[in-house]
């Protein structure tokens, strides 16, 4: 794997982690708090938890647009995880996958920011 590919993988991995941490914080502030795994979280724990978050979002007592932000953030994060899963397999590495993962994470971040702003206004 080239230095560029390794750097791209590290950056995507760090962004995945940062976005997941933001999701953890926002989920704890939901009207019906949702606790996602924390600490050293593997994809074997994180992915199913985020999938479950998508299901639980439907029962949150909040406006549909806010539910959509939770749902979209989770979906974009999962999409980024899928891209990352391919990136770390050397034979599957494509620069377009690195860009797709980053784009998914930027979208997830935007939805989490909108949701966090709404939650802050509710306090």
């Amino acid at each position: 794997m080239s230095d560029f590919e390794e750097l791209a993988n590290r950056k995507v991995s760090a962004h995945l982690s940062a976005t997941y941490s933001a999701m953890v914080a926002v989920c704890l502030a939901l009207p019906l708090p949702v606790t996602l795994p924390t600490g050293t979280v593997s994809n074997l724990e994180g992915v199913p938890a985020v999938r479950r978050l998508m299901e639980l979002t439907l029962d949150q007592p909040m406006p549909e647009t806010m539910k959509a932000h939770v749902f979209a953030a989770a979906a974009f994060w999962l999409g980024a995880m899928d891209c990352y899963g391919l990136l770390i397999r050397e034979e599957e590495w494509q620069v377009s996958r690195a860009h797709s993962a980053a784009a998914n994470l930027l979208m997830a971040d935007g939805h989490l920011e909108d949701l966090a702003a709404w939650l802050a206004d509710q306090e």
Side-chain angles (χ1 to χ4, degrees), residues 1 5 8-13 16 43 47 51 74-106:
M1 187 171 290
E5 291 169 355
N9 286 0
R10 281 197 309 271
K11 286 186 178 247
V12 169
S13 177
L16 277 163
N43 62 342
V47 169
R51 286 182 183 145
F76 281 120
W77 186 84
L78 288 168
M81 279 297 293
D82 287 345
C83 290
Y84 181 70
L86 292 171
L87 280 175
I88 60 175
R89 294 173 39 200
E90 192 170 336
E91 67 277 0
E92 298 290 334
W93 205 95
Q94 297 282 330
V95 72
S96 61
R97 286 194 179 111
H99 290 298
S100 293
N104 273 285
L105 290 168
L106 289 172

Side-chain angles (χ1 to χ4, degrees), residues 3 6 9 15 30 60-61 66 76 84 92 110 121 123:
D3 289 344
E6 286 182 37
N9 286 0
H15 198 165
L30 290 172
Q60 286 290 332
M66 294 304 114
F76 281 120
Y84 181 70
E92 298 290 334
D121 287 344
E123 293 179 355

